[in-house]
Amino acid sequence: MSGPQESTSFAALRGQLQGAATEFAGGPDALEGILLGMVDDVDRAVREPLEIFPVCHHSPASALAMARRLREKQPKVVYLELCEDMAPLLTELRNCRLPVAVQAFAGDVDGFPADWAPLSVVAPITEASAEYQAIAYALDTPGVELVLVDRSADHVFQWDRRGEQAQEDAGSPEEAEAALHGEAVGVEIGDLRPRFAELEEHLLRHGKVRHWSEWWHQYVEVPLGDSDHDTYRQVMFLIGSLFRRLAPGDGSRLRVDEDRERYMWTRMREHLAATGTDPEDCLYVCGAFHAASRVEEFGVRGGSNTFTISPRTATTWQYGLIPSSHAAIEAQFGLAAGSVSIAATEWAKGLKRTRVKPYVLEGQAGKRKSAAKKAATPASAPAAAADKLSGFLQRPPVLDGLDEAELLGWSVEIVRAARRNGYLASTADAIAVFETSILLAGMRDRAKPTPYDFQDAAVTCIEKDSVPGRRDVRRLVEIMMGGDRIGKVGYESLPPLARDVYDRLAPLELKLEQRGVRRALLDMASRPELRACSDVLWMLRRLMPQGAARPIMGERRLGERSIQESWDLALGTHQRALIELGYEGVSLEQVLEQRLRRDAYGPRATTATVLAAVEDALLYLRGHRLADELGTHALKLLAAERSVDGAPEVLRRVRALLAYYRTGEPVLPAWIESFVKTGYAHYCTLLPTAFRDEDATVGQVAAMLGFLFSMESLALSLGCDRNQLELAVAQSHPDDPSKTALLWAAQVQLGTLSRAELRARCDELLDNPLVVPSYPRYLSGFVHALEPVPGLADVVVEAVSNAFGRLPDSVLLPWLPLLITTLRSGAADLAPLMVREAGRIFPGRLAALDAWVPPWRMPEADPFAAKPVADVRRGAALLTAHPAACDAVAELLGCTEGWSRADVPAASGVALLAAHPAACDAVAELLGCDGTWAVAGPSPSGGTVLTARHPATAEALESLLAGT
């Protein structure tokens, strides 16, 4: 679109560009339309009653021009291109150390796809930015209003197409430094970069530079650094118009850009109409790309009621400040590494050179209190701006003189930094860097070397064939030029949760708000008040990224609590993660409970994940309300599952919870009793199918059997039927060798298969040459069987030993790698049990191995066979050797017979019965025997004679023994 009426201010420039287009293109064509259209865009923006101030993202030249213009014009209203819902946060910038980012965060979405969550929008702000100058001026100047006019954070995601954006960004890995912003969408305030790839390549090639940041510094920053206000505006309008007219036909991105411009102009007209402010007293700060807009709504007199702002979704947005850094800004917005640090250095040099006094927020962290501001007389805007573009474009570049002192300082400093990082640099290298910088600048048509020329020279002269330390020379130059400055959010600007964390950790007496690692030592035995700090640290470890709170000594398990702990804390480094926790709740306990509920009730929740949530609730929250609720939910999920994928994890966690409740609680909770009862019936039902299912692994089936056997006593006490388990095992008919071995182990545990029969089956496997190649899989099943039947460890050791002892090397060696890999991949956690059993069975010394006979090869003794009678006089030798002890016992019992003679034979049992008939009569009477005593005679079978004389007594004793 063209303006209502073109002015004559740029008539000369139009004629020159029209003539140039005709000469180079051979006649009127599209080139003439582009060049004249650019002039029309500049003319239209300059003549707008509401002054438009075009800026570039984090540009020192834009910041200098902004500070200078604000002191001249003293506007009453500043319209800023920033999300309108972030306005309340800007006053908190005075409590922070820049750079920081203003963030809008939404954990739960309503109106967007669920897989987009969490949503995050950030707008980084640095000292060397025109946006910060406008914010500081508006907030600290009485009577000035700051109005944010850009789309809200909700509209950022309404208008952007995330699916296409994800596909475009799939091939570009994010820099590690961008972690301060995470995956947040960056609001590109003042984004100014060619969207036409061929144009950017052309500019870089003819500018003899490597990347866009270097081109911008050389051909825009330096020339505009000392220019006047009109020249700055017209040049920035021209650049924005050029990039806009040469942008490719990306319909979605162009639509978003135009909608943003319509949105901003609509908001500005609404504010002007509501307040009655004169547009001459206002200043509109926006990116140069949007300043040269051609939408119908452009200007205070643009089309009204032509654009309808859509309502926001029901998503609840939360706002805060997060720390940012130069590297994070560069990585997120595609700038060259070190460009923001170099811009900060140029900003400081520009302030010193131009003597422009910048605006700084009162109380800004790291800044001295500024003097009282003097009221300036507002500058009256000229009726029509003169043409400054013609002179600027025709003027030859002003070549800055070589600043030898500055370049020498850089050269000496980079050599010093290189030597500290392990490089063998010397004074000669400093001289070489100095001369090479001048040489490279001359080759690139520059009288003064830029920081980028110096960086190339340093890499050429110092960095040889290797990097001895962690940093290369290019990174050392970036650090020397200002380094990666990382901001910090002040305590007053933190959300309540973050402040609560710092308050609760105050007894540690550490400066946790600072970056870096702090070592915390907690001795709860001598200082019981540190237990509260320990609880906070364990919750932070559960909620925050790895490295924020890392335990060095101490652990927290169910039923166990350490009395001493040691921690490495880096809360200052991970301040962004701590701040985002504050968006989820007001305390750590609330956030942890919300996350546990979200994990347990999520669409992908399984029984194992819910049991893990129960364990975390007991560990960190120490309350049974949430644990019982989640446990009841785990019971429902278990009953609904139709696969055994999570059986190993379920078994491990149920065992831990049962052990905790049995040792720490008087009774088991109702939910865990129901869980065991339901799980017993559930796994009995799934067991035959799991044995036949090819997708079910042997470890999962072993975990099912482990649950059934280990929980059997509790399940039977709760009313379960053991016949159900026996029927399930009887109905199982696996085809896989490992599952077959596992089934045999289960049958041994149930008593339907004896150990002798199991050993016989193993021997049959080794005797069959067709089965020998798959024998390692049988062994794998036996090893997995140690989970449900740990008593079979000796049988497993025997099976492995028989294989190594019986098989020849020609058969053993080919499947030995298969055996090792099978055991390592599938049963690594059960191997120690088998190794301990082998250590118990095998001899401990090599010399005893030759004479050692394995226990399974020894003749098996009958447990019911009569044992040989030991020598009755074996203990008598001790009595005769130590008579004093026997005399003392005899005296205690009242025995006065004295010692018997050694040549007199000891009395037999028959003689004792005859000597003491009263004892036998009492036993006979008790058993109902009415027989009489026989006359004792010299019969060799005295016991047999007594039995014959008292047949009723013998029958009664026999029946009594048979009953027991």
Side-chain angles (χ1 to χ4, degrees):
M1 293 178 58
S2 60
Q5 184 177 0
E6 296 179 353
S7 66
T8 59
S9 301
F10 299 93
L13 181 60
R14 285 191 179 92
Q16 294 176 6
L17 293 178
Q18 188 173 11
T22 303
E23 179 180 355
F24 286 104
D29 62 351
L31 177 60
E32 180 181 350
I34 293 175
L35 295 178
L36 296 182
M38 290 164 52
V39 179
D40 293 339
D41 292 340
V42 174
D43 188 17
R44 185 184 186 203
V46 167
R47 290 186 293 108
E48 174 59 34
L50 194 158
E51 181 177 340
I52 303 173
F53 195 96
V55 299
C56 177
H57 194 52
H58 302 302
S59 167
S62 295
L64 286 172
M66 173 62 72
R68 187 186 300 114
R69 182 56 179 168
L70 288 173
R71 295 197 179 276
E72 294 175 354
K73 182 179 178 64
Q74 292 288 308
K76 297 179 181 179
V77 178
V78 176
Y79 297 113
L80 182 61
E81 179 194 342
L82 187 62
C83 294
E84 59 183 2
D85 50 344
M86 293 181 176
L89 289 176
L90 299 183
T91 57
E92 300 294 336
L93 290 175
R94 64 180 77 252
N95 300 321
C96 306
R97 185 178 66 226
L98 300 181
V100 296
V102 185
Q103 182 183 35
F105 183 89
D108 298 325
V109 297
D110 186 358
F112 300 106
D115 56 350
W116 286 16
L119 305 179
S120 180
V121 179
V122 298
I125 299 175
T126 63
E127 293 182 17
S129 62
E131 299 84 9
Y132 176 72
Q133 293 299 307
I135 293 172
Y137 163 78
L139 294 182
D140 284 349
T141 304
V144 177
E145 184 180 3
L146 177 64
V147 182
L148 306 186
V149 294
D150 200 0
R151 55 182 176 166
S152 66
D154 197 271
H155 288 91
V156 171
F157 292 96
Q158 285 188 34
W159 296 354
D160 285 353
R161 304 175 68 178
R162 292 287 296 273
E164 297 179 0
Q165 183 179 1
Q167 294 179 359
E168 294 175 0
D169 299 341
S172 56
E174 214 173 36
E175 297 289 341
E177 293 84 354
L180 286 175
H181 293 173
E183 298 180 356
V185 175
V187 178
E188 301 176 353
I189 306 175
D191 178 37
L192 197 57
R193 185 167 184 169
R195 297 182 183 178
F196 190 34
E198 287 77 4
L199 173 61
E200 181 172 346
E201 181 183 357
H202 176 82
L203 294 176
L204 296 183
R205 183 174 67 253
H206 288 274
K208 299 180 181 179
V209 294
R210 292 169 299 150
H211 44 71
W212 173 251
S213 299
E214 186 176 358
W215 185 93
W216 181 266
H217 172 83
Q218 176 66 24
Y219 295 100
V220 180
E221 286 290 335
V222 175
L224 289 182
D226 298 325
S227 62
D228 59 275
H229 173 64
D230 291 336
T231 303
Y232 169 82
R233 290 183 67 208
Q234 294 176 22
V235 171
M236 293 296 286
F237 287 145
L238 183 68
I239 296 175
S241 177
L242 172 65
F243 293 164
R244 190 182 189 94
R245 289 182 175 273
L246 295 183
D250 188 354
S252 61
R253 186 170 184 180
L254 182 60
R255 174 185 56 81
V256 170
D257 289 331
E258 292 181 347
D259 285 347
R260 289 181 63 186
E261 293 156 6
R262 295 186 178 99
Y263 194 107
M264 290 187 285
W265 281 110
T266 300
R267 288 302 192 202
M268 284 186 284
R269 282 198 299 271
E270 290 176 354
H271 181 269
L272 291 173
T275 60
T277 307
D278 187 358
E280 298 289 344
D281 297 330
C282 303
L283 187 68
Y284 172 34
V285 182
C286 67
F289 188 87
H290 299 292
S293 175
R294 291 173 288 161
V295 296
E296 184 180 354
E297 292 79 4
F298 179 87
V300 294
R301 300 185 182 89
S304 300
N305 301 325
T306 57
F307 179 72
T308 302
I309 298 177
S310 61
R312 301 182 189 180
T313 64
T315 300
T316 302
W317 289 88
Q318 302 186 45
Y319 304 91
L321 298 172
I322 62 173
S324 184
S325 68
H326 292 171
I329 297 172
E330 293 161 358
Q332 188 167 17
F333 296 106
L335 304 176
S339 59
V340 179
S341 298
I342 293 175
T345 304
E346 294 295 323
W347 160 253
K349 291 169 57 178
L351 291 177
K352 186 181 298 184
R353 183 181 67 253
T354 60
R355 300 184 182 274
V356 173
K357 186 177 180 180
Y359 286 94
V360 179
L361 285 172
E362 291 289 342
Q364 183 78 59
K367 299 295 182 181
R368 293 178 297 178
K369 187 175 181 180
S370 60
K373 296 181 174 59
K374 297 181 181 179
T377 303
S380 58
D387 178 13
K388 298 296 183 71
L389 274 178
S390 300
F392 182 84
L393 296 176
Q394 295 177 0
R395 182 181 61 197
V398 179
L399 301 178
D400 293 338
L402 175 61
D403 190 346
E404 294 188 0
E406 180 186 52
L407 186 57
L408 280 175
W410 289 355
S411 302
V412 172
E413 184 63 28
I414 189 59
V415 169
R416 183 182 294 114
R419 295 184 66 174
R420 285 196 302 264
N421 285 269
Y423 289 90
L424 298 177
S426 62
T427 306
D429 293 313
I431 298 173
V433 171
F434 179 86
E435 298 294 342
T436 307
S437 300
I438 299 175
L439 177 62
L440 288 177
M443 295 173 60
R444 296 166 180 173
D445 297 331
R446 304 168 188 166
K448 178 182 178 180
T450 65
Y452 300 97
D453 298 327
F454 172 76
Q455 189 179 55
D456 294 340
V459 171
T460 303
C461 299
I462 298 178
E463 190 172 293
K464 305 301 189 295
D465 55 346
S466 63
V467 178
R470 294 183 305 164
R471 301 184 178 95
D472 56 9
V473 175
R474 190 175 302 279
R475 179 60 180 156
L476 293 178
V477 174
E478 294 173 6
I479 295 174
M480 188 192 73
M481 290 292 175
D484 184 16
R485 299 181 186 176
I486 301 176
K488 184 180 71 173
V489 180
Y491 177 86
E492 295 79 6
S493 299
L494 292 173
L497 181 143
R499 292 200 298 266
D500 180 61
V501 169
Y502 284 126
D503 293 341
R504 294 167 69 177
L505 295 180
L508 298 179
E509 299 178 356
L510 297 174
K511 297 181 179 179
L512 298 178
E513 67 278 359
Q514 296 181 356
R515 293 183 60 84
V517 179
R518 300 288 185 272
R519 176 63 59 89
L521 302 176
L522 286 72
D523 186 2
M524 277 79 76
S526 60
R527 297 182 60 187
E529 68 273 10
L530 294 181
R531 292 190 180 276
C533 297
S534 175
D535 295 338
V536 173
L537 293 178
W538 283 110
M539 285 189 285
L540 289 176
R541 180 178 180 269
R542 171 65 172 76
L543 295 173
M544 293 189 66
Q546 184 179 7
R550 185 168 64 93
I552 304 301
M553 181 183 69
E555 59 182 357
R556 177 161 292 193
R557 297 180 181 177
L558 288 176
E560 300 179 9
R561 296 195 67 178
S562 304
I563 61 174
Q564 288 183 338
E565 294 176 356
S566 176
W567 290 80
D568 277 350
L569 304 178
L571 299 183
T573 304
H574 296 83
Q575 194 181 48
R576 167 183 169 267
L578 182 61
I579 292 174
E580 290 189 350
L581 280 182
Y583 299 153
E584 302 182 41
V586 296
S587 66
L588 288 175
E589 289 79 4
Q590 180 186 4
V591 174
L592 180 57
E593 182 173 344
Q594 290 177 355
R595 290 197 179 184
L596 292 179
R597 290 181 186 276
R598 185 167 62 244
D599 295 341
Y601 291 96
R604 299 184 180 180
T606 61
T607 306
T609 58
V610 178
L611 291 178
V614 173
E615 186 174 345
D616 288 343
L618 294 173
L619 279 176
Y620 304 117
L621 299 179
R622 292 186 298 176
H624 296 282
R625 174 187 57 82
L626 180 60
D628 293 346
E629 177 188 342
L630 297 180
T632 305
H633 183 61
L635 176 62
K636 297 178 182 178
L637 291 180
L638 177 66
E641 286 185 352
R642 293 296 176 263
S643 65
V644 296
D645 296 340
E649 188 69 13
V650 170
L651 173 63
R652 184 178 67 85
R653 296 196 178 277
V654 168
R655 280 179 175 175
L657 291 170
L658 269 176
Y660 169 74
Y661 282 123
R662 282 172 172 169
T663 57
E665 300 294 334
V667 294
L668 291 177
W671 75 266
I672 201 167
E673 292 183 349
S674 301
F675 189 92
V676 173
K677 185 177 179 180
T678 304
Y680 189 86
H682 178 70
Y683 284 137
C684 283
T685 305
L686 294 181
L687 190 62
T689 306
F691 268 111
R692 297 282 298 181
D693 189 4
E694 296 180 356
D695 296 332
T697 64
V698 63
Q700 295 170 351
V701 180
M704 294 175 59
L705 291 173
F707 185 95
L708 295 172
F709 291 148
S710 60
M711 309 290 172
E712 184 178 12
S713 59
L714 178 59
L716 295 181
S717 67
L718 296 175
C720 294
D721 189 1
R722 194 171 191 267
N723 293 329
Q724 188 176 6
L725 175 59
E726 295 177 351
L727 289 175
V729 173
Q731 294 173 357
S732 302
H733 305 287
D735 297 330
D736 185 73
S738 57
K739 292 183 181 179
T740 301
L742 188 61
L743 178 62
W744 293 347
Q747 292 173 348
V748 171
Q749 179 69 13
L750 293 176
T752 59
L753 184 69
S754 65
R755 286 175 171 257
E757 293 174 342
L758 179 61
R759 289 188 173 94
R761 292 184 180 182
C762 293
D763 293 337
E764 292 176 1
L765 294 177
L766 290 175
D767 293 337
N768 189 345
L770 298 179
V771 181
V772 167
S774 60
Y775 192 73
R777 302 180 63 183
Y778 284 96
L779 292 181
S780 175
F782 283 130
V783 174
H784 279 94
L786 297 180
E787 175 72 45
V789 192
L792 283 182
D794 57 338
V795 178
V796 177
V797 173
E798 176 184 347
V800 176
S801 301
N802 288 338
F804 279 86
R806 293 175 55 180
L807 296 178
D809 293 345
S810 58
V811 177
L812 182 64
L813 293 180
W815 61 257
L816 188 59
L818 176 62
L819 172 64
I820 296 175
T821 56
T822 302
L823 296 180
R824 178 179 295 178
S825 61
D829 54 338
L830 298 172
L833 182 62
M834 184 175 60
V835 172
R836 285 196 300 269
E837 182 66 21
R840 186 185 65 83
I841 295 177
F842 288 91
R845 296 184 177 275
L846 184 62
L849 187 61
D850 295 335
W852 174 73
V853 178
W856 53 85
R857 292 187 180 178
M858 297 178 66
E860 188 172 350
D862 187 2
F864 300 101
K867 297 182 179 180
V869 180
D871 186 5
V872 297
R873 299 188 59 83
R874 184 174 54 187
L878 291 175
L879 295 178
T880 56
H882 304 281
C886 188
D887 292 339
V889 174
E891 183 180 358
L892 182 64
L893 298 176
C895 299
T896 59
E897 289 81 0
W899 286 85
S900 63
R901 293 169 52 186
D903 54 351
V904 177
S908 63
V910 178
L912 290 175
L913 292 177
H916 304 281
C920 188
D921 291 340
V923 173
E925 183 180 357
L926 180 64
L927 298 176
C929 301
D930 56 355
T932 59
W933 279 88
V935 179
S939 175
S941 57
T944 306
V945 173
L946 288 176
T947 304
R949 288 292 182 180
H950 299 277
T953 304
E955 292 176 1
L957 289 173
E958 183 178 359
S959 63
L960 181 63
L961 292 174
T964 56

